[in-house]
Amino acid sequence: MTPTELESVYEALATTIDQVGESKTELFLAKLTLLLAERVGDTPTVLRSIRDSARSL
Amino acid sequence: MRPAGRGETDSLYFDYPCFDAPEKARGATLSEPTPVAIVGAGPVGMTAALALAREGIRSVLFDNKSTFNDGSRAICVARESFYILERLGAVAPFVEKALGWTTGRSFYRGQQILEFNMPDGPSEKFRPMYNIQQQYIELYLWQAVSDSDLIETRWQSEVIGVRNTSDGAILTIRDTNGTYTIAADWLLAADGARSPVRGMLGRRLAGENHEGRYVIADVQMNHDYPTIRRALFDPACRPGGTVLIHRQPDNIWRIDYQLTENEDADEATREDVVRRNVEAVLSEIGHDGPWELEWWSIYSANTLALDDYRDGRVFFIGDSAHIVPIFGVRGLNNGLADAQNIAWKLGWVMRGKAGTDLLDSYSPERRGATLDVFENATKSARFMTPPSHGWRVMRDAALSLALDHDFAGKLANPRQMTPYTYGESPVVCPDDPAFENGPEPGKVIPEARLQQGYLSDHLGPGFNVICFGADLAQELEDRLAAEDDIRVLSLPARSEAAHVFGAARTAAYLVRPDRHVAARWHQARATSVITAYRKATCNNGAEA
Ligand SMILES: Cc1cc2nc3c(=O)[nH]c(=O)nc-3n(C[C@H](O)[C@H](O)[C@H](O)COP(=O)(O)OP(=O)(O)OC[C@H]3O[C@@H](n4cnc5c(N)ncnc54)[C@H](O)[C@@H]3O)c2cc1C
């Protein structure tokens, strides 16, 4: 993933979080994670990413 | 509970019988010792009595009531239970009355997100699941019990004392005529979730209580929908809650709905409140015709079990040993399997066909099955009633995703049919790694078509060795002793059975009376089969 590609994902997430609104943010992110997990299809990577994201909150 | 003006057993469609207490004149004989005493003539106690009778063992059944349990209660009877009933010669009225089903549908906010089908097909004798009210289950079992010369039932007879001795148990019974004691060689405690026997022996259930309370209500109505279990998540009639709908015989429908945290249990079980809540569910599923309220009750989801199902001469079977959440539909089904498991073992030990150590396999096998249920039930419970914020967020995410993506709907699968394996049993042999498929030791054998009927029609009443080549079968016939209760079945090497057993011409399966595999060999020899039979019946030292 190039820095530009990553940037576009970052932007899409930011604008979609604003669109769905604060009350639905959590649901939206949870759905997104499940859907990405299914599309990635690699359980160890997904589980490691869950652990990594829970760090330094 | 029933609508105002109707008694506890005043049903719209079922006539509850009334059974008398034993006659006073027979008082003197009531104290005569019995080989087996069974406390509780619920579905599990009656099944145990019938299974013992099948082994030629006499028993006395005690129940403190004068009729069957009130209300429809456990309505889902699994395929495996139909085999148990068939073995007892009692399955015919069940097949006639019960509604078989294979399909479940889950809905989220009114839209279908999942349809699951349990395995079924022309090779199966019974459907994966049947719906039938518990009072019919008890009635049909009772018909078989009252036909048996080996079972004596004493209604209105409450067991108020139990004591283990070195070679039996002493019970104290109170009936309408007074109190007496009776000695039994063995005692089966089938006295239900509150089990007084458990209390009298100082045993306690251990485990967890889950979140979530449900009201179950039966209504009678003409409603046009097949026998398909429906689960409604977050429906308009109960926002945030879950509703289950099951069809039963006699135009009875089970409506099962979750209470929210701020609904009070006493209030929620008041007739007018139940009527209002049921009406809301019915209008959501498009029923606007008339309906009648039959019966309702409330329950919460628990996973509780005894650490050991045996205490000296006493064995706990059914709800007295374990309480499981009902959406796994395992409470009663598991209890019937307990009854079958202990009954054949006790019968074999009492008839001298097996060593007493066989009885020690009851608790690990059946408790193992319960823990299996707990695991699945805990998963279902977490989906139906998320216990915390995290579980709720993910549940809602899965449901919402499932509206457009089938994979997420699978998370809503209620896992009702996971078959159990007696993997940790002391009387089950390790697997032969040469097999690539087929049931491993500890599993129940699959069904297969055979000649005009099914494989299960050909099984003998005791152990069975299923061979796929005539040479081995002949050698086994020659070497088995006359007193061995074992049938040798020789099946064609090219048959549906050979296929589902993953078996070549040299293979053999040793199958117990309860249809669980005791051992299997890819290259079987008669000596190994006979040794495994001795091990499975704890007759190791008995003969060479
Ligand atoms: C209100 C209610 C609703 C239920 N709904 C469902 C459901 O929807 N789905 C489901 O799967 N399961 C349900 N269950 C559970 C299901 O009914 C049980 O799993 C099943 O009945 C267990 O059978 P059992 O024979 O072990 O115990 P029980 O059926 O409880 O039988 C025990 C018997 O022992 C008798 N007894 C008790 N103490 C004594 C004594 N001291 N002396 C003599 N006799 C005694 C009792 O009178 C009773 O007849 C429900 C249970 C209840 C109470």
Side-chain angles (χ1 to χ4, degrees), chain B residues 322-528:
Chain B
H322 47 74
I323 300 174
V324 305
I326 71 172
F327 16 81
V329 301
R330 272 287 166 203
L332 177 61
N333 290 303
N334 243 21
L336 300 181
D338 292 347
Q340 152 161 288
N341 190 298
I342 191 58
W344 80 260
K345 289 175 181 172
L346 207 47
W348 277 54
V349 168
M350 293 172 81
R351 303 292 301 262
K353 293 192 288 184
T356 50
D357 288 351
L358 180 59
L359 301 177
D360 288 327
S361 66
Y362 167 69
S363 189
E365 289 187 354
R366 294 306 311 158
R367 188 165 185 278
T370 300
L371 298 184
D372 230 46
V373 174
F374 283 2
E375 202 174 302
N376 284 311
T378 304
K379 284 183 186 153
S380 303
R382 279 194 314 230
F383 203 88
M384 309 283 271
T385 341
S388 66
H389 179 69
W391 293 105
R392 174 167 295 281
V393 169
M394 290 316 299
R395 198 280 300 262
D396 291 349
L399 287 171
S400 162
L401 205 53
L403 292 173
D404 306 303
H405 302 274
D406 287 349
F407 82 90
K410 302 214 167 66
L411 291 163
N413 193 324
R415 292 168 243 262
Q416 287 175 320
M417 274 296 288
T418 333
Y420 40 83
T421 302
Y422 293 153
E424 304 290 302
S425 170
V427 291
V428 166
C429 291
D431 196 14
D432 178 344
F435 277 95
E436 273 164 20
N437 50 19
E440 69 260 25
K443 278 230 164 88
V444 170
I445 56 165
E447 187 61 283
R449 271 170 305 189
L450 190 59
Q451 294 159 8
Q452 269 19 284
Y454 296 95
L455 169 62
S456 60
D457 303 334
H458 297 258
L459 296 174
F463 274 68
N464 286 271
V465 199
I466 304 180
C467 311
F468 299 89
D471 296 350
L472 177 67
Q474 191 55 53
E475 196 188 343
L476 276 166
E477 295 281 12
D478 294 344
R479 297 191 46 178
L480 282 163
E483 65 272 21
D484 291 333
D485 189 353
I486 184 166
R487 177 180 292 182
V488 180
L489 274 182
S490 179
L491 304 185
R494 279 174 201 279
S495 58
E496 190 178 288
H499 180 70
V500 294
F501 281 79
R505 198 174 286 280
T506 53
Y509 278 75
L510 177 64
V511 182
R512 316 194 313 186
D514 57 11
R515 291 173 50 260
H516 283 262
V517 176
R520 63 172 180 171
W521 304 265
H522 197 63
Q523 298 267 356
R525 284 179 309 132
T527 44
S528 335

